[in-house]
């Protein structure tokens, strides 16, 4: 069921990437949706982080550094890293908190 969902998101990217390009903010929604499936339903944490990184790269170039979307992405990445037992979870949480403190 979830493999089919990821397949549909990948299909969506194939449609959206040519007209928008890989740095258009519209694409972040698909990356975030894919991340959700990978993380919540499939336990594919490395794939989830990859989607977060792609989304974050676009968001950082399209939005202000203190946008709530960026804070949420850092926080969610921290959650994935924490679940994996990786120390860089702390770094992600600190980035999220730093933005929230502004």
């Amino acid at each position: 069921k979830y493999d089919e969902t990821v397949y549909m998101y990948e299909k969506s990217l194939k449609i959206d990437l040519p007209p928008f390009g890989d740095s258009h903010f519209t694409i972040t929604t698909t990356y975030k949706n894919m991340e959700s499936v990978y993380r919540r339903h499939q336990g594919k944490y490395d794939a989830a982080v990859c989607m977060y990184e792609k989304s974050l790269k676009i968001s950082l170039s399209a939005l202000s550094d203190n946008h709530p979307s960026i804070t949420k992405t850092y926080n969610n990445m921290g959650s994935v890293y924490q679940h994996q037992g990786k120390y860089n979870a702390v770094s992600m949480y600190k980035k999220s908190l730093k933005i929230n403190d502004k």
Side-chain angles (χ1 to χ4, degrees):
K1 174 179 171 181
Y2 294 112
D3 287 338
E4 185 177 339
T5 302
V6 170
Y7 171 76
M8 296 307 289
Y9 285 135
E10 289 171 345
K11 198 171 181 180
S12 174
L13 283 173
K14 287 180 183 178
I15 294 167
D16 290 342
L17 283 172
F20 292 116
D22 63 357
S23 61
H24 194 277
F25 190 71
T26 301
I27 305 300
T28 63
T29 301
T30 304
Y31 288 144
K32 289 177 183 179
N33 290 339
M34 291 174 75
E35 168 281 319
S36 179
V37 173
Y38 287 139
R39 179 173 54 99
R40 293 182 182 162
H41 303 291
Q42 294 183 319
K44 296 180 178 178
Y45 300 110
D46 290 335
V49 167
C50 181
M51 295 297 108
Y52 276 134
E53 288 172 344
K54 288 180 179 189
S55 176
L56 183 63
K57 181 179 176 183
I58 295 168
S59 295
L60 286 171
S61 66
L63 305 170
S64 66
D65 289 349
N66 62 350
H67 192 276
S69 178
I70 292 172
T71 302
K72 186 174 181 179
T73 301
Y74 282 136
N75 191 63
N76 290 344
M77 288 176 78
S79 177
V80 171
Y81 288 137
Q82 181 179 2
H83 189 77
Q84 292 178 301
K86 293 184 177 178
Y87 181 75
N88 46 347
V90 173
S91 172
M92 294 295 115
Y93 288 138
K94 284 182 179 180
K95 287 179 181 185
S96 179
L97 286 171
K98 184 177 178 182
I99 293 169
N100 282 331
D101 287 343
K102 288 183 181 182

